[in-house]
Amino acid sequence: MAEQTGTLRRTPLSKDRVLRAAVALADESGIESLSMRNLAVELGVVPMALYKHVANKDELLGGMIDVVVGEIDPPVPDPDWKRVIRARILSARDVLLRHPWAPLAIESRNDATPAILDYLNTMVGILRDGGFSTDLAHHVMHAMGSRMLGFSQELFDASRRAGRSGAAEPEPPAAFPPEAAARFPHLAAIATAASHDDASVVGDGCDDQFEFEFALDLLLNGIDDLRQQGWRSAH
Amino acid sequence: MAEQTGTLRRTPLSKDRVLRAAVALADESGIESLSMRNLAVELGVVPMALYKHVANKDELLGGMIDVVVGEIDPPVPDPDWKRVIRARILSARDVLLRHPWAPLAIESRNDATPAILDYLNTMVGILRDGGFSTDLAHHVMHAMGSRMLGFSQELFDASRRAGRSGAAEPEPPAAFPPEAAARFPHLAAIATAASHDDASVVGDGCDDQFEFEFALDLLLNGIDDLRQQGWRSAH
DNA sequence: ACCTGAACACCGTTCAAGT
DNA sequence: ACCTGAACACCGTTCAAGT
């Protein structure tokens, strides 16, 4: 215990520790500040040491995604496919809300990760058990898209922010700048309607949970109708 | 015409020319090779010259997005809201297929661009004219999400490739590596079903156009039902 | 054998020096 | 006043030199 001082390392580095530190760093500082070099600093390690545990940054991101996907609840036992799918998607959504960088990381990736493949495979299995033909299950997976993993591609919500930034600024309440409201009256109308329709929502913006479930149920109900009608693709 | 040789410039640089060159570069080489420096080379210009026409790379990307969105057909005159929305979304999809980098560029952006706001504003207007309440129109916009702009968030399609890469490699036809097929049997099943169900599709993979329209009509029909029922949010 | 500093080939952007 | 080379503060990753 003499010469070891100065650089005493609490835990030896491991792939798991690297991935967890990376996820934590992305969670609190945003994905844009996740660099190999920053991550090394965070771990009290020289940058090159990371390359002993991940081949490159792409593998790092893949591993991070799988850490996140691993947090999603397994399917609950229930004979009703719709309840199983719905509950798991909402669990996935919960998880992704804790890791706001994950949806974009998943989308920017060209290959699916093992955990995602496993997740999707299970979801298809639930559909098959629920009476879906292979054909219909296939189209359903495409139709659900990223919503299967608990996120939707919102085009104009303010909920997606870079980093947490310490809750410093109180989120500019300008729901719609008056200049823009004049140019885009229809958007202004639905934005305004949303802000005072829902008393439960504090500032501007919408009840994201409601919007998500609205779209989810719209899809699930439509899909259930197709299944009941014994839908088959005309080919 | 004596001293001007050597550095004769065909057209003077302009914001428009910068944006068009950037879109062309991203189209053919992929968004990852669109750097200020590469773009400058492409235009035969020193990198700093670009900063006279765009404030920074973010503004460049915003401008590129608006060039692309500007290529979408305006709404066709038609009393049936569903036909109008459907046709315009399919036009948007056509445009985005020509600019495969655009969906991710749009999603990674935190603020909507003017052209996107204008596009969405028009779409809300069509819904309102079609008899939708402000409330329902609002939820519909959220439910459609990025599909309103003609793209879906597919989780596991191979259609998204980095660059064109000159049609050199004939796209590895391994629909599903046998090792993966054993671990993910349900995914393998739907992948296999897709490849020989559709004779129109050459290699592996699905008929993306069919999948897109399937999901689109599922949503539009569900939405139409809600409108006809006079759906109102319970609040 | 393992680890790591320096180096390489890039970024976006600032800034001061040139015309 | 305008333009631009060099510089700054970063990247991810290679590689050879150190232990």
Side-chain angles (χ1 to χ4, degrees), chain A residues 145-157:
Chain A
S146 65
R147 204 161 246 122
M148 208 78 202
L149 258 168
F151 60 99
S152 53
Q153 216 40 63
E154 299 285 355
L155 246 14
F156 55 134
D157 65 343

PDB file of all heavy atoms in Angstrom, chain A residues 145-157:
ATOM      1  N   GLY A 145     -43.861   0.504 -35.416  1.00  0.00           N
ATOM      2  CA  GLY A 145     -42.559   1.163 -35.536  1.00  0.00           C
ATOM      3  C   GLY A 145     -41.915   1.409 -34.190  1.00  0.00           C
ATOM      4  O   GLY A 145     -41.929   0.530 -33.320  1.00  0.00           O
ATOM      5  N   SER A 146     -41.398   2.603 -34.026  1.00  0.00           N
ATOM      6  CA  SER A 146     -40.682   2.905 -32.789  1.00  0.00           C
ATOM      7  C   SER A 146     -41.610   2.935 -31.579  1.00  0.00           C
ATOM      8  O   SER A 146     -41.159   2.838 -30.450  1.00  0.00           O
ATOM      9  CB  SER A 146     -39.959   4.243 -32.917  1.00  0.00           C
ATOM     10  OG  SER A 146     -40.904   5.274 -33.054  1.00  0.00           O
ATOM     11  N   ARG A 147     -42.904   3.069 -31.830  1.00  0.00           N
ATOM     12  CA  ARG A 147     -43.843   3.066 -30.714  1.00  0.00           C
ATOM     13  C   ARG A 147     -43.815   1.723 -29.988  1.00  0.00           C
ATOM     14  O   ARG A 147     -44.179   1.621 -28.828  1.00  0.00           O
ATOM     15  CB  ARG A 147     -45.249   3.366 -31.235  1.00  0.00           C
ATOM     16  CG  ARG A 147     -46.163   3.929 -30.195  1.00  0.00           C
ATOM     17  CD  ARG A 147     -47.371   4.632 -30.805  1.00  0.00           C
ATOM     18  NE  ARG A 147     -47.381   6.052 -30.562  1.00  0.00           N
ATOM     19  CZ  ARG A 147     -47.406   6.976 -31.505  1.00  0.00           C
ATOM     20  NH1 ARG A 147     -47.438   6.624 -32.758  1.00  0.00           N
ATOM     21  NH2 ARG A 147     -47.398   8.242 -31.189  1.00  0.00           N
ATOM     22  N   MET A 148     -43.403   0.690 -30.679  1.00  0.00           N
ATOM     23  CA  MET A 148     -43.262  -0.621 -30.047  1.00  0.00           C
ATOM     24  C   MET A 148     -42.244  -0.549 -28.912  1.00  0.00           C
ATOM     25  O   MET A 148     -42.348  -1.274 -27.933  1.00  0.00           O
ATOM     26  CB  MET A 148     -42.791  -1.626 -31.105  1.00  0.00           C
ATOM     27  CG  MET A 148     -43.218  -3.047 -30.855  1.00  0.00           C
ATOM     28  SD  MET A 148     -44.943  -3.319 -31.311  1.00  0.00           S
ATOM     29  CE  MET A 148     -45.321  -4.765 -30.321  1.00  0.00           C
ATOM     30  N   LEU A 149     -41.277   0.331 -29.060  1.00  0.00           N
ATOM     31  CA  LEU A 149     -40.230   0.471 -28.035  1.00  0.00           C
ATOM     32  C   LEU A 149     -40.533   1.612 -27.060  1.00  0.00           C
ATOM     33  O   LEU A 149     -39.683   1.989 -26.258  1.00  0.00           O
ATOM     34  CB  LEU A 149     -38.876   0.699 -28.690  1.00  0.00           C
ATOM     35  CG  LEU A 149     -37.968  -0.529 -28.743  1.00  0.00           C
ATOM     36  CD1 LEU A 149     -36.788  -0.265 -29.653  1.00  0.00           C
ATOM     37  CD2 LEU A 149     -37.466  -0.866 -27.338  1.00  0.00           C
ATOM     38  N   GLY A 150     -41.730   2.174 -27.171  1.00  0.00           N
ATOM     39  CA  GLY A 150     -42.126   3.143 -26.163  1.00  0.00           C
ATOM     40  C   GLY A 150     -41.843   4.584 -26.495  1.00  0.00           C
ATOM     41  O   GLY A 150     -41.969   5.454 -25.646  1.00  0.00           O
ATOM     42  N   PHE A 151     -41.453   4.861 -27.725  1.00  0.00           N
ATOM     43  CA  PHE A 151     -41.319   6.277 -28.048  1.00  0.00           C
ATOM     44  C   PHE A 151     -41.989   6.599 -29.365  1.00  0.00           C
ATOM     45  O   PHE A 151     -42.145   5.768 -30.241  1.00  0.00           O
ATOM     46  CB  PHE A 151     -39.866   6.749 -28.035  1.00  0.00           C
ATOM     47  CG  PHE A 151     -38.948   6.058 -29.007  1.00  0.00           C
ATOM     48  CD1 PHE A 151     -38.633   6.653 -30.219  1.00  0.00           C
ATOM     49  CD2 PHE A 151     -38.360   4.852 -28.689  1.00  0.00           C
ATOM     50  CE1 PHE A 151     -37.764   6.042 -31.106  1.00  0.00           C
ATOM     51  CE2 PHE A 151     -37.481   4.222 -29.584  1.00  0.00           C
ATOM     52  CZ  PHE A 151     -37.191   4.813 -30.788  1.00  0.00           C
ATOM     53  N   SER A 152     -42.442   7.838 -29.449  1.00  0.00           N
ATOM     54  CA  SER A 152     -43.090   8.285 -30.666  1.00  0.00           C
ATOM     55  C   SER A 152     -42.221   9.371 -31.258  1.00  0.00           C
ATOM     56  O   SER A 152     -41.401   9.961 -30.580  1.00  0.00           O
ATOM     57  CB  SER A 152     -44.460   8.857 -30.333  1.00  0.00           C
ATOM     58  OG  SER A 152     -44.318   9.840 -29.332  1.00  0.00           O
ATOM     59  N   GLN A 153     -42.386   9.595 -32.524  1.00  0.00           N
ATOM     60  CA  GLN A 153     -41.599  10.635 -33.151  1.00  0.00           C
ATOM     61  C   GLN A 153     -42.400  11.907 -33.224  1.00  0.00           C
ATOM     62  O   GLN A 153     -43.079  12.156 -34.210  1.00  0.00           O
ATOM     63  CB  GLN A 153     -41.121  10.163 -34.530  1.00  0.00           C
ATOM     64  CG  GLN A 153     -39.750  10.666 -34.835  1.00  0.00           C
ATOM     65  CD  GLN A 153     -38.863  10.606 -33.607  1.00  0.00           C
ATOM     66  OE1 GLN A 153     -38.593   9.547 -33.094  1.00  0.00           O
ATOM     67  NE2 GLN A 153     -38.437  11.757 -33.115  1.00  0.00           N
ATOM     68  N   GLU A 154     -42.309  12.667 -32.159  1.00  0.00           N
ATOM     69  CA  GLU A 154     -43.030  13.926 -32.137  1.00  0.00           C
ATOM     70  C   GLU A 154     -42.273  14.924 -32.993  1.00  0.00           C
ATOM     71  O   GLU A 154     -41.053  14.967 -32.980  1.00  0.00           O
ATOM     72  CB  GLU A 154     -43.151  14.441 -30.708  1.00  0.00           C
ATOM     73  CG  GLU A 154     -43.904  13.495 -29.791  1.00  0.00           C
ATOM     74  CD  GLU A 154     -45.396  13.523 -30.043  1.00  0.00           C
ATOM     75  OE1 GLU A 154     -45.843  14.337 -30.860  1.00  0.00           O
ATOM     76  OE2 GLU A 154     -46.111  12.725 -29.421  1.00  0.00           O
ATOM     77  N   LEU A 155     -43.015  15.744 -33.701  1.00  0.00           N
ATOM     78  CA  LEU A 155     -42.356  16.669 -34.615  1.00  0.00           C
ATOM     79  C   LEU A 155     -42.150  18.036 -33.990  1.00  0.00           C
ATOM     80  O   LEU A 155     -41.246  18.765 -34.355  1.00  0.00           O
ATOM     81  CB  LEU A 155     -43.201  16.807 -35.876  1.00  0.00           C
ATOM     82  CG  LEU A 155     -42.612  16.292 -37.170  1.00  0.00           C
ATOM     83  CD1 LEU A 155     -41.400  15.411 -36.937  1.00  0.00           C
ATOM     84  CD2 LEU A 155     -43.655  15.566 -37.956  1.00  0.00           C
ATOM     85  N   PHE A 156     -42.961  18.390 -33.056  1.00  0.00           N
ATOM     86  CA  PHE A 156     -42.902  19.768 -32.597  1.00  0.00           C
ATOM     87  C   PHE A 156     -43.166  19.910 -31.096  1.00  0.00           C
ATOM     88  O   PHE A 156     -43.856  20.794 -30.663  1.00  0.00           O
ATOM     89  CB  PHE A 156     -43.872  20.638 -33.384  1.00  0.00           C
ATOM     90  CG  PHE A 156     -45.288  20.173 -33.374  1.00  0.00           C
ATOM     91  CD1 PHE A 156     -46.304  21.088 -33.144  1.00  0.00           C
ATOM     92  CD2 PHE A 156     -45.639  18.852 -33.596  1.00  0.00           C
ATOM     93  CE1 PHE A 156     -47.627  20.679 -33.145  1.00  0.00           C
ATOM     94  CE2 PHE A 156     -46.959  18.451 -33.592  1.00  0.00           C
ATOM     95  CZ  PHE A 156     -47.962  19.363 -33.374  1.00  0.00           C
ATOM     96  N   ASP A 157     -42.639  18.991 -30.343  1.00  0.00           N
ATOM     97  CA  ASP A 157     -42.797  19.145 -28.905  1.00  0.00           C
ATOM     98  C   ASP A 157     -41.518  19.730 -28.312  1.00  0.00           C
ATOM     99  O   ASP A 157     -40.439  19.575 -28.837  1.00  0.00           O
ATOM    100  CB  ASP A 157     -43.119  17.823 -28.231  1.00  0.00           C
ATOM    101  CG  ASP A 157     -41.987  16.842 -28.346  1.00  0.00           C
ATOM    102  OD1 ASP A 157     -41.106  17.035 -29.196  1.00  0.00           O
ATOM    103  OD2 ASP A 157     -41.992  15.875 -27.593  1.00  0.00           O
TER     104      ASP A 157
END
